[in-house]
Structure formats: C-alpha cells, structure tokens
Amino acid sequence: MSMPHLSVEYSPALRDRADIPALCQAMHAVMLASPLFPDAGIRVRAHKADFAIIADGLAENDFVAMTLSVGAGRNQNELRAVGDALFVAGQLALKIPLSTPHFTFSLEIREINPDLSWKDTPIHSRLLRPE
C-alpha cells in the first residue's frame, strides 16, 4: 500500500504567475500529514510542459494537472479525503492564477495494480513508520 507519487504538470509560462516550489511543498505537507501514506513512499515531482495549447489557444492560458498514483488497498473514502485536502491546498497555492479566467487546475487519483508494478526502494527501510 505504498507509492503515493504526485506528478504536477504545468504550462511553461506559469512560473511567472505561480510559485511551483511552494505548490510542491504544500502538496508534500498534505501527503506527509496523511496516515494513509508511508513517509518513505511519498514523492512529489513537478514537470513543466515543453509546449502546451490550452482551451481556446490564447497565449495567457495556463494549467496545472496533478496526478496522484497510489498503491492498491486504500478505500475510496480515504482517498477522496486526501484528494480533497490536496485540492484545497493546491487552490490556496494557486490563488493568483485561479483568480483569472485563463487557468485550469485538476487532480486525478490513480490506483496502481500491484501485479503490474515493480519497485526497488531501499529508502523504505530507513523511513518506515513504526506500527
């Protein structure tokens, strides 16, 4: 039940209107505070799109699209609660671009099939929470 990996994809010009490192820190804090996720499994990665055409193609349009990939075994209500917390924290961190009509923000949670997922993560033995 590990692997809470959050990928944050964003449009190239967004760096001028939003603090992407602060967004990542906010997302990490929410995940770290959740009892659902082992500390050792948490990852937050931000990736700037090299090129993006958003909605009607206006140059001032920007986006953030977040995808949280989690291992199987958590119930939907628990995942929804974490998703709600991440989304609210993201809205706070992205308050400036969200105040304009040229921005879109999304979050999706995906559950990974354990039979189709391979890992070799020695960091887990160092950071496992005691039960």
Side-chain angles (χ1 to χ4, degrees):
M1 272 201 335
S2 62
M3 196 184 164
H5 294 193
L6 183 70
S7 291
V8 180
E9 183 182 10
Y10 61 95
S11 53
L14 188 62
R15 281 189 175 172
D16 298 336
R17 297 197 303 147
D19 186 341
I20 300 301
L23 171 64
C24 291
Q25 289 290 336
M27 299 299 97
H28 183 262
V30 169
M31 294 169 67
L32 199 58
S34 172
L36 287 182
F37 304 134
D39 296 357
I42 296 172
R43 311 280 188 280
V44 178
R45 297 181 282 253
H47 309 276
K48 179 183 64 129
D50 290 332
F51 181 79
I53 301 173
I54 301 132
D56 55 358
L58 295 176
E60 59 267 32
N61 292 346
D62 284 310
F63 77 91
V64 166
M66 299 192 316
T67 303
L68 177 61
S69 298
V70 299
R74 296 170 182 95
N75 75 49
Q76 188 170 353
N77 290 335
E78 293 171 328
L79 290 174
R80 176 171 285 287
V82 168
D84 288 342
L86 286 167
F87 200 74
V88 167
Q91 288 173 313
L92 289 172
L94 297 167
K95 187 176 183 174
I96 292 171
L98 279 167
S99 70
T100 74
H102 298 281
F103 187 68
T104 181
F105 174 49
S106 64
L107 168 65
E108 177 182 2
I109 298 177
R110 295 181 183 169
E111 188 174 69
I112 304 300
N113 180 332
D115 294 333
L116 301 174
S117 179
W118 295 261
K119 297 171 196 69
D120 187 356
T121 54
I123 198 170
H124 281 257
S125 62
R126 183 175 61 83
L127 295 177
L128 284 177
R129 291 181 185 173
E131 298 280 331

